[in-house]
Amino acid sequence: MQIKDLKNLLLGSTPDTEDPSSELKQQDSLPAIPDDALIIVPMRGTVLFPQNVSPLVIGRKPSIAAVQQAVRSEKPIGLIMQLLDKNEEPDPDNLHKVGTIAEILRYITAPDGAHHIVCQGIQRFRVKEFLPDYPFLVARIERYEEPELSSQDVEARVITLKQKALEMLAQTRQAPDELVNAVRSIASPAMLADLIASYLISKPAEKQEILALFDIQERIDKILELLNYQIEVLKLSNKISEQTQETMGQQQREFVLREQMKAIQKELGEEDGHAAEIEEISKAISAAKMPEDVEKQARKELGRLQHMPDASGEYSMIRTYLDWLTELPWSVASTTAIDITKARETLNEDHYGLEKIKQRILEFLAVRKLNPNGKSPILCFVGPPGVGKTSLGRSIARATGREFVRASLGGLHDEAEVRGHRRTYIGALPGNIIQSIRKAGTNNPIFMLDEMDKIGSGGFHGDPSSALLEVLDPEQNSTFRDNYLAVAFDLSHVMFIGTANVLDNIPAPLRDRMEVIELTGYTSDEKLQIAKRYLVHRQLESNGLSPEQCTISDSAILAIIQDYTREAGCRNLEREIGSVFRHVAMRIAEGISVNEQIDAEQLHGILGPKKFDSEVAMRTSAPGVATGLAWTPVGGDILFIEAARVPGNGKLILTGQLGDVMKESAQAALSLVKSRAHELGLDPENFEKNDIHVHVPAGAIPKDGPSAGVAMFIALFSAFSERTVHSDVAMTGEISLRGLVLPVGGIKEKVIAAARAGIKTVMLPARNRRDFEEIPEAVRNRLQFIWLEKVDDALKIAVEE
């Protein structure tokens, strides 16, 4: 029943033999074929087992004649596999000795002339001898009748054979249900063995070997051996397929799809974009002229990129990395010839004053001209806001013919901002140093590190100031290593310029690596020149005015400097000048005026009342008030020290938001006055009956430092002696309990502030004479200087007799 189903599956209809009379050519009279002989048809790579049905294609003329004769004579044929498939005309020596007797169920001649037959195997046979005188192969045969043996060994083998066959069919995808049912239901050992060998054994040589085994036990054992091997292969193949399917994620699927896309693009004749991109990167690497070790690293990454799918996440990361390597200026440098005279003219055009700084820059250029391969210095400009530190860097770049880049370090708190992030992080980038070098396009720009004193403190992100140590060390920065690049970049040709308002806030190791140049505040005369040369022109242009439409007198500028601004730099001065010009621009735009001349008298109507008044005379008109000098981050300033005695028991009261050092200075000044009361002509009992209150106005502003020691001593003496202090005298200096006046810092800024406030006489510690030359000559000529060794020297000058 099952064999019939398989037969119908192959035939598609009832197995009736078609009449080939219309197709077959009648053969001439042939010798009769003996009863024990059989027409032989050679087959290439095909074995037919008994009871199995198989379609065959007949192509060789002897085989066609043999089949036609068999059909005409209604006799079976013998199917034997060739030893060599390539042999087109096989002879008896090229044929196996065991074959299958087959009945021709159907003979079909196709419209294209091809000959097809459908055969069913009947039984095995062995060739005894081949007969001559036939146009096809004819052989005497020995038929093999399958014995119907039944033994325990055979039955056990049949059960095992069914299990293995069903196991293999279970491992095989899309196995026919008819074949599964046939394996389960066939009881005949021989028929079962032949069916399994026909459908489950794949190699023709193995099938021929099974066909040649006449003993049923040996035949089943051979089939079991082959089935076990094929089952293991199938299990391993399925296991690998399952593992591959499990591990095949989104990237693998995209790879397959993109490979298919490449094949489609290739068929359409479209260009291979990936190969073109790789070629472009390779040319960029060659053109960059990197150091040998860097180019080796770039080529290595390019090799990885070449064998990576475009959609891979790592592809874009490596592509970006190579872009950074190829776009950095490894060998590109500014080569402008150095002209010292032209550089001096450029600096003088851009900045007024600053002679010391200009001289240092010209010295650098001279050294660079004589020694082009020398290391660049690390300069640090320190000064109050608005004195031109940043703009001076741009002038240096213009004077030297180099590119200018600037990186602000204010608030920087992450080391990675300097050294970059490692490429293992998503979205990683190089640090600000490498980014700015790439932006500059040359390996020797002027690089300004702005606001170095405002770098954030190190935390779990690392200390950015420590990361700058390598950058700002000429002995180390030739091999600066950014975390993102992971290769060394030479920074020794870069001229680094740092800026800061307060030098003390820069860590000592970092400060040690730089040559510090201090920029102090400007005097009124210097501000006037700066305004006339730069600020007025810039604000006229900014507000859309021409020099013919608006002019401003020197007296107006000086009035703005003295009455509306109190600063070391010129930023507020420029803002106030801009306010004046905006007022004029509005009047001209409304048609009220055509041109304006601004004098000092008009400022009140434009800028309002004066913002700063000289309070020196008013503040010192009563005993107990002394004028001190203070240093602030925005320049020098005058400081009023007020002392008063009130009934009490000798307690010292300090107000004005004073720091610990300033409180200690007040305590030391009081102790010095008490200890020398008799010498100073003071009644000691006054110290016991009165509390002493020391106050420093502007109480909202924190104040600290020892510089007010002399002023506090003078104020306390004035309060107890009831003598007033001269209104045009200002003083600074630290005091000791022995009455010595000790040196302090910021002399230049303090003296400039005194001159700005209208002070006539300035008392300074004698040990600060070394700072006298730093004071601008115009300021020195306007002031009288008293050098103090002891506080007694201050009493003689400051207090009225």
Side-chain angles (χ1 to χ4, degrees):
M1 184 67 177
Q2 288 75 18
I3 293 298
K4 182 178 180 182
D5 293 337
L6 289 173
K7 188 186 299 182
N8 292 338
L9 182 65
L10 288 170
L11 295 175
S13 62
T14 55
D16 295 331
T17 304
E18 294 183 359
D19 183 10
S21 59
S22 61
E23 299 285 344
L24 303 178
K25 297 180 179 179
Q26 298 295 330
Q27 301 287 340
D28 296 336
S29 58
L30 297 173
I33 297 175
D35 293 339
D36 60 346
L38 196 64
I39 297 173
I40 302 299
V41 178
M43 295 187 297
R44 287 186 286 198
T46 304
V47 176
L48 181 66
F49 284 90
Q51 306 304 322
N52 290 333
V53 177
S54 177
L56 300 173
V57 178
I58 308 300
R60 291 176 288 202
K61 291 183 179 180
S63 298
I64 293 173
V67 171
Q68 291 176 348
Q69 180 62 28
V71 171
R72 185 169 53 251
S73 60
E74 297 183 355
K75 290 185 177 181
I77 58 175
L79 301 178
I80 300 180
M81 191 174 74
Q82 297 177 196
L83 291 173
L84 298 176
D85 293 342
K86 296 181 179 179
N87 196 337
E88 292 295 334
E89 297 181 359
D91 53 21
D93 294 333
N94 192 35
L95 298 176
H96 287 279
K97 299 304 180 183
V98 177
T100 302
I101 301 173
E103 177 186 358
I104 300 176
L105 302 179
R106 180 174 295 179
Y107 182 96
I108 303 172
T109 301
D112 60 354
H115 298 266
H116 303 266
I117 61 173
V118 179
C119 300
Q120 180 179 9
I122 300 175
Q123 65 181 136
R124 288 172 171 78
F125 72 90
R126 186 190 302 275
V127 175
K128 296 171 64 176
E129 62 174 343
F130 284 90
L131 302 178
D133 302 329
Y134 291 95
F136 40 77
L137 295 176
V138 177
R140 293 184 185 275
I141 64 169
E142 177 184 356
R143 298 172 183 265
Y144 176 73
E145 299 291 341
E146 291 285 353
E148 292 295 334
L149 297 177
S150 179
S151 65
Q152 292 181 349
D153 291 340
V154 173
E155 289 181 0
R157 285 174 169 80
V158 168
I159 294 173
T160 305
L161 183 60
K162 285 187 177 184
Q163 291 175 349
K164 292 296 181 183
L166 292 173
E167 183 180 355
M168 184 172 177
L169 289 173
Q171 295 287 339
T172 305
R173 297 178 180 178
Q174 299 179 350
D177 294 337
E178 294 83 354
L179 182 59
V180 176
N181 294 333
V183 170
R184 288 175 176 169
S185 59
I186 292 176
S188 170
M191 187 180 297
L192 178 65
D194 290 344
L195 178 67
I196 292 173
S198 176
Y199 289 101
L200 299 185
I201 303 301
S202 57
K203 297 181 180 179
E206 295 174 348
K207 289 184 177 183
Q208 180 63 38
E209 185 180 358
I210 295 172
L211 183 68
L213 293 175
F214 293 105
D215 183 78
I216 187 62
Q217 291 189 15
E218 293 180 3
R219 194 187 310 164
I220 293 176
D221 288 343
K222 181 62 178 178
I223 295 173
L224 286 173
E225 177 186 347
L226 297 174
L227 285 180
N228 284 329
Y229 175 78
Q230 290 187 203
I231 288 171
E232 292 302 320
V233 171
L234 279 173
K235 285 182 178 179
L236 182 59
S237 176
N238 291 337
K239 181 179 179 181
I240 294 173
S241 178
E242 290 175 0
Q243 291 176 348
T244 304
Q245 189 66 26
E246 289 176 358
T247 58
M248 185 176 180
Q250 183 66 25
Q251 294 182 357
Q252 287 80 2
R253 287 195 293 271
E254 290 182 359
F255 173 76
V256 172
L257 292 174
R258 290 192 176 274
E259 289 298 320
Q260 293 175 352
M261 186 182 297
K262 290 179 183 178
I264 295 171
Q265 290 176 344
K266 187 175 181 181
E267 290 296 326
L268 294 175
E270 296 180 358
E271 183 181 1
D272 187 357
H274 183 72
E277 185 178 18
I278 296 297
E279 179 65 23
E280 180 183 351
I281 298 174
S282 178
K283 291 180 180 179
I285 293 174
S286 302
K289 297 181 181 180
M290 308 172 182
E292 183 178 352
D293 56 334
V294 179
E295 183 169 354
K296 182 178 179 181
Q297 174 71 12
R299 296 288 180 187
K300 179 180 177 182
E301 294 294 334
L302 182 62
R304 293 180 59 200
L305 190 71
Q306 191 170 4
H307 298 90
M308 191 174 294
D310 297 356
S312 171
E314 194 175 359
Y315 181 92
S316 60
M317 183 182 73
I318 297 177
R319 180 71 172 87
T320 305
Y321 175 70
L322 289 174
D323 285 342
W324 276 100
L325 285 182
T326 54
E327 293 176 11
L328 282 174
W330 299 96
S331 56
V332 181
S334 299
T335 56
T336 305
I338 296 176
D339 187 339
I340 303 298
T341 303
K342 184 178 179 181
R344 181 183 285 109
E345 293 174 355
T346 301
L347 292 173
N348 289 333
E349 286 176 7
D350 292 349
H351 290 270
Y352 178 80
L354 307 178
E355 298 301 330
K356 182 178 179 181
I357 298 173
K358 292 178 183 177
Q359 183 65 25
R360 179 63 186 90
I361 295 168
L362 294 174
E363 291 172 358
F364 159 74
L365 294 178
V367 173
R368 175 64 64 181
K369 184 174 183 178
L370 298 177
N371 182 18
N373 297 323
K375 296 178 180 178
S376 295
I378 312 296
L379 303 180
C380 183
F381 297 154
V382 178
V387 295
K389 299 185 296 296
T390 304
S391 60
L392 191 60
R394 298 184 186 276
S395 297
I396 295 174
R398 197 162 76 91
T400 57
R402 296 192 184 191
E403 296 294 327
F404 176 80
V405 289
R406 172 184 168 273
S408 178
L409 305 182
L412 195 70
H413 64 278
D414 191 350
E415 177 192 357
E417 295 291 334
V418 178
R419 288 188 176 275
H421 298 81
R422 290 178 176 83
R423 284 192 290 148
T424 52
Y425 297 100
I426 296 176
L429 284 174
N432 288 334
I433 304 298
I434 294 298
Q435 289 188 40
S436 299
I437 294 294
R438 177 191 180 186
K439 179 182 178 182
T442 63
N443 61 11
N444 62 340
I446 304 296
F447 199 130
M448 176 156 283
L449 299 171
D450 225 350
E451 310 293 351
M452 294 189 66
D453 57 332
K454 298 175 180 63
I455 298 177
S457 59
F460 67 94
H461 293 292
D463 188 358
S465 62
S466 299
L468 286 172
L469 294 177
E470 181 185 7
V471 176
L472 299 181
D473 191 342
E475 301 298 328
Q476 300 179 29
N477 62 12
S478 59
T479 56
F480 174 71
R481 192 178 184 88
D482 188 274
N483 290 331
Y484 180 83
L485 297 182
V487 292
F489 188 88
D490 187 2
L491 296 177
S492 61
H493 303 296
V494 180
M495 182 177 181
F496 287 100
I497 299 176
T499 71
N501 297 129
V502 183
L503 192 62
D504 295 340
N505 293 343
I506 302 177
L510 192 59
R511 190 168 61 240
D512 182 63
R513 282 165 164 75
M514 299 183 293
E515 179 181 342
V516 177
I517 299 177
E518 294 188 1
L519 284 78
T520 56
Y522 296 112
T523 64
S524 297
D525 294 338
E526 288 175 334
K527 289 183 179 181
L528 175 62
Q529 294 298 325
I530 292 171
K532 291 171 63 177
R533 297 187 183 201
Y534 312 108
L535 306 184
V536 170
H537 174 74
R538 193 156 61 205
Q539 286 300 316
L540 283 174
E541 184 178 346
S542 176
N543 291 283
L545 296 173
S546 65
E548 292 78 17
Q549 291 175 311
C550 182
T551 57
I552 185 169
S553 64
D554 292 357
S555 61
I557 297 176
L558 282 174
I560 295 175
I561 294 171
Q562 297 170 358
D563 299 335
Y564 293 92
T565 61
R566 283 283 175 89
E567 57 177 347
C570 298
R571 284 182 182 159
N572 286 329
L573 174 59
E574 184 172 3
R575 292 190 187 103
E576 297 299 335
I577 292 174
S579 298
V580 172
F581 289 164
R582 285 195 298 272
H583 174 80
V584 175
M586 185 179 68
R587 289 174 59 83
I588 292 176
E590 291 179 350
I592 300 175
S593 176
V594 177
N595 55 64
E596 294 275 345
Q597 168 68 36
I598 303 300
D599 295 320
E601 295 78 13
Q602 299 171 260
L603 295 180
H604 184 277
I606 299 174
L607 300 178
K610 296 179 181 180
K611 297 180 181 178
F612 301 97
D613 290 320
S614 179
E615 301 179 5
V616 176
M618 180 185 69
R619 293 277 181 129
T620 57
S621 60
V625 180
T627 304
L629 296 175
W631 180 92
T632 68
V634 296
D637 201 357
I638 59 173
L639 192 70
F640 298 104
I641 308 296
E642 299 178 349
R645 56 179 184 171
V646 294
N649 53 8
K651 183 172 62 174
L652 177 62
I653 303 171
L654 300 173
T655 57
Q657 201 172 158
L658 308 183
D660 292 338
V661 176
M662 205 165 189
K663 290 178 180 178
E664 292 171 358
S665 294
Q667 185 65 58
L670 178 60
S671 298
L672 182 59
V673 172
K674 286 182 178 181
S675 65
R676 304 181 63 179
H678 289 292
E679 298 178 21
L680 299 175
L682 303 178
D683 185 1
E685 294 184 1
N686 289 337
F687 297 100
E688 303 295 334
K689 299 177 181 179
N690 297 284
D691 290 338
I692 299 92
H693 187 173
V694 177
H695 175 69
V696 182
I701 302 174
K703 310 168 190 69
D704 202 3
S707 299
V710 173
M712 287 184 172
F713 174 81
I714 297 297
L716 289 171
F717 173 77
S718 174
F720 281 97
S721 66
E722 297 183 354
R723 297 180 183 179
T724 58
V725 180
H726 290 294
S727 61
D728 57 354
V729 176
M731 62 209 73
T732 184
E734 182 181 1
I735 62 170
S736 70
L737 293 178
R738 295 177 294 167
L740 299 177
V741 179
L742 305 179
V744 293
I747 294 298
K748 180 181 178 181
E749 291 84 352
K750 292 176 180 177
V751 172
I752 291 175
R756 188 169 58 234
I759 300 296
K760 302 299 182 182
T761 303
V762 176
M763 295 189 293
L764 304 174
R767 293 169 63 180
N768 279 115
R769 285 182 182 270
R770 61 179 181 268
D771 301 314
F772 184 72
E773 293 183 359
E774 295 183 1
I775 302 172
E777 185 176 357
V779 176
R780 294 203 303 259
N781 296 334
R782 290 167 53 186
L783 297 174
Q784 178 185 3
F785 292 90
I786 305 298
W787 302 100
L788 306 178
E789 294 283 353
K790 298 181 178 181
V791 292
D792 299 329
D793 302 333
L795 286 175
K796 296 175 183 178
I797 304 298
V799 182
E800 295 179 355
E801 296 182 2

